[in-house]
Amino acid sequence: MTRRTEWPDSPAEPGGDAGAGYGPDASAAARGAAADDAGVRSGRRSREGAGAGGGFGEGAGRRARSGTRSSGSPSSSRAEKGEPRDPVEQARNICLRLLTGTPRTRKQLADALRKREIPDEAAEEVLARFEDVGLIDDAAFAGAWVESRHHGRGLARRALVRELRTKGVDSAVIDEAVGQLDPDQEEETARELVARKLRSTRGLDRDKRLRRLAGMLARKGYGEGMALRVVRQALEEEGEDTEGLDEPF
C-alpha cells in the first residue's frame, strides 16, 4: 500500500531561514511597515512646508499636498502595493500560492513560472530551495496520486502512468509509485467497477453488455485480458451464456 504523505498546510518553511529570504510573513510585514512609515513622513513634510511659507497662502498649500500625492513613480506605487520587484521573490510568492491547499510537481511549478516570465535562473533557485525543504516532492506526489486515483476513481496502472506523465513526473518515479499497486487489488477494483455498472446494462444483448463493460474498464486503464475475464465472470454469475467470449473484444 502506498505511504501516505502529509503535505504542509502552511507555506512557512521549517527552520525559519530568514537569512535566505524565505520568511513570507516577515517580509510582507516589513514592506507594509516601510510603506506606512513613508506615508506618515511624506504627510508630515507636506504639512510643515505649507505652514512655514506663510506668504504662499492656502492655494499653495493645496498645490503642495497635491504634488506630494501625484509625484509617486510606477515603481513606488508597486512597492506600496507590496508587489515584489525581485524575480526570486516573485517566483517564491507564485510557488507558495500554487502550493497552498494542494501539492504540485516541480514541472507544474516550473511551467507556471515560465508562463509568468520569471527568468530561468530565478526560477531554478526557488524550485531547488523548495525541493530542499520538502515543499516539492515528486515521489510523494506520485505515491499519493496513485493511492487517491485508484481508490477514488478505480484507475488502473496504465491510466495512472499516463496522468503522472502529463504532470511531468520522472519515469523512474512513476514506475516506483505504480509498482506499489498490488495486482490482486487492481483486479478486485475492476470487479467492483463492473458490479456497479452491471445493473445499468440489463436488458441489452450479451455482446453489447460486453462491449460497454469492457470499454469502461479499458478507459480506466485495465488491460484487455483482465477486462474480458472480469466481465465474463460477472455475466456468468447473472446466468448469462458466455460461450464464445474468450476471443479478444
Side-chain angles (χ1 to χ4, degrees), residues 42-62:
S42 176
R44 186 184 299 119
R45 284 196 298 270
S46 297
R47 289 193 297 273
E48 289 173 352
F56 291 98
E58 182 180 352
R62 283 197 300 270

Side-chain angles (χ1 to χ4, degrees), residues 37-102:
D37 185 54
V40 170
R41 289 197 302 271
S42 176
R44 186 184 299 119
R45 284 196 298 270
S46 297
R47 289 193 297 273
E48 289 173 352
F56 291 98
E58 182 180 352
R62 283 197 300 270
R63 287 193 298 272
R65 289 192 294 272
S66 175
T68 300
R69 287 194 298 269
S70 62
S71 62
S73 65
S75 60
S76 64
S77 175
R78 286 195 299 268
E80 289 175 0
K81 292 179 181 179
E83 297 180 6
R85 287 170 288 181
D86 176 31
V88 171
E89 184 73 5
Q90 288 180 325
R92 173 181 165 278
N93 287 349
I94 291 169
C95 289
L96 288 175
R97 285 197 298 269
L98 291 174
L99 287 169
T100 299
T102 180

Side-chain angles (χ1 to χ4, degrees), residues 1-2 4 142-161 163-164 177-178 180-193 196 217 220-222 226:
M1 184 59 66
T2 305
R4 292 185 179 274
W145 187 269
V146 167
E147 182 176 359
S148 172
R149 299 287 282 177
H150 177 72
H151 292 290
R153 297 288 303 277
L155 299 188
R157 295 167 186 253
R158 291 195 301 184
L160 294 167
V161 168
E163 290 188 340
L164 289 171
V178 298
Q180 299 179 40
L181 184 58
D182 183 78
D184 293 336
Q185 175 61 47
E186 189 176 31
E187 183 162 339
E188 180 60 29
T189 301
R191 296 183 190 284
E192 293 173 359
L193 290 170
R196 290 200 296 266
L217 291 180
K220 290 182 178 291
Y222 293 90
M226 178 187 291

Side-chain angles (χ1 to χ4, degrees), residues 190 193-220 222 227-228 230-232 234-235 245 249:
L193 290 170
V194 169
R196 290 200 296 266
K197 187 76 173 176
L198 198 62
R199 179 179 298 178
S200 66
T201 66
R202 288 171 185 164
L204 302 176
D205 65 70
R206 186 198 66 177
D207 290 344
K208 185 172 289 188
R209 297 185 80 187
L210 170 67
R211 289 194 298 271
R212 184 165 298 184
L213 294 169
M216 177 268 296
L217 291 180
R219 288 191 297 273
K220 290 182 178 291
Y222 293 90
L228 180 60
V230 168
V231 172
R232 177 177 179 175
L235 293 176
L245 291 185
F249 57 88

Side-chain angles (χ1 to χ4, degrees), residues 16-23:
D17 191 0
Y22 285 86

